[in-house]
């Protein structure tokens, strides 16, 4: 999955305690469904188009069902509560990872 996230000011992206807590909880929930964060990158503007995004986040899941199972995984309530507090806007793109050697 490719997440394009814009964070609320209260999140304190990139080093605020709310953002850091959200990322810590997300990192602890993902293994319950076999997922993991591959990378996170700050966005410093766009060469083409207009979309205010703070961060690109690449996540890997073993299947689409694993992504759907995230909502019932242990710790998911806290994860989604923090997501609601931190994320002002998001677009999530479903991508395959099978053509890349760094993805399982």
């Amino acid at each position: 999955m490719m997440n394009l996230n814009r964070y609320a000011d209260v999140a304190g992206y990139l080093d605020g305690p709310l953002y850091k807590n959200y990322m810590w909880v997300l990192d602890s929930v993902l293994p319950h469904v076999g997922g993991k964060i591959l990378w996170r990158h700050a966005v410093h503007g766009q060469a083409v188009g207009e979309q205010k995004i703070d961060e690109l986040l690449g996540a890997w899941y073993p299947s689409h069902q694993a992504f759907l199972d995230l909502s019932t995984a242990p710790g998911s309530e806290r994860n989604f509560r923090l997501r609601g507090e931190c994320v002002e806007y998001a677009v999530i793109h479903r991508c395959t990872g099978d053509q890349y050697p760094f993805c399982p």
Side-chain angles (χ1 to χ4, degrees), residues 1 6 16 24 27-28 37 44-45 50 52 59 64-65 68 77 87 91 97 102:
M1 299 283 185
R6 178 174 60 232
W24 183 85
D27 286 341
S28 68
I37 299 298
H44 303 286
E50 296 180 27
K52 186 179 180 313
H64 185 67
Q65 185 60 52
L68 297 175
E77 275 188 42
V87 178
V91 174
F102 60 85

Side-chain angles (χ1 to χ4, degrees), residues 7 17 20 24 32 49 51-52 62 65 67 70 74 82 86 96 101:
Y7 295 103
K20 286 182 176 183
W24 183 85
H32 290 287
Q51 185 178 37
K52 186 179 180 313
Q65 185 60 52
F67 170 74
L70 190 61
L82 288 167
C86 287
T96 61

